[in-house]
Amino acid sequence: MGVHLGGSTGGEVSRLEVIEGPTGRRRRTKSERARIAAESLVPGVTVADVARRHGTTRWQVYDWRKKLRTGQLTVPESVAGLLMFAELVVEDPAEEARASHPAPALEIVIGDVVIRARIDADEGVLTRAIRAARASMS
């Protein structure tokens, strides 16, 4: 049995906490740790409340959350199926704009005129565009 004396000042003990077990530590399965970490991710829930409810520290819960994110812990199927979890998808608006307007593969500069074309542009169209650009320069 482990004994923790907290808040002692001048020989007085203000709090005595006794934790059962040979080392004072609880052994939790990976499934339990993952479930507790997942519980702390629910919107509106605080890590401190979850830690207190399960008799652990905030720092352990933060550590388990990190392991959950890196795949060292996995959420049990019984918890993963609950509606509180959804896949997170982050979209980059700039990337979406690039996808809808692909960057030109070819850029031809003639004086102040810039001709941009895709790699599969028709050779005849490019030739006429170059001639027109040169003609505008003369």
Side-chain angles (χ1 to χ4, degrees), residues 58-76:
R58 292 177 304 172
W59 311 118
Q60 277 186 311
V61 176
Y62 284 123
D63 183 54
W64 297 339
R65 286 167 56 144
K66 180 181 176 184
K67 289 180 178 180
L68 194 62
R69 280 193 308 272
T70 60
Q72 295 173 18
L73 288 176
T74 56
V75 179

Side-chain angles (χ1 to χ4, degrees), residues 82-104:
L82 297 177
L83 295 177
M84 62 185 179
F85 290 98
E87 181 181 0
L88 175 65
V89 178
V90 179
E91 295 180 0
D92 181 5
E95 186 176 309
E96 194 173 299
R98 285 190 297 269
S100 62
H101 301 292

Side-chain angles (χ1 to χ4, degrees), residues 19-79:
I19 302 173
E20 295 181 23
T23 63
R25 293 182 176 183
R26 291 187 179 154
R27 301 267 182 209
R28 298 189 192 273
T29 65
K30 282 188 170 190
S31 177
E32 288 175 310
R33 288 179 278 168
R35 185 181 49 75
I36 293 169
E39 183 181 328
S40 75
L41 296 170
V42 175
V45 173
T46 66
V47 171
D49 288 340
V50 172
R52 195 174 306 110
R53 188 170 31 256
H54 293 284
T56 186
T57 66
R58 292 177 304 172
W59 311 118
Q60 277 186 311
V61 176
Y62 284 123
D63 183 54
W64 297 339
R65 286 167 56 144
K66 180 181 176 184
K67 289 180 178 180
L68 194 62
R69 280 193 308 272
T70 60
Q72 295 173 18
L73 288 176
T74 56
V75 179
E77 287 184 32
S78 61
V79 175

Side-chain angles (χ1 to χ4, degrees), residues 107-121:
E107 188 173 278
I108 302 169
V109 179
I110 303 171
D112 292 340
V113 178
V114 178
I115 302 169
R116 294 184 182 97
R118 293 190 327 244
I119 196 72
D120 60 348

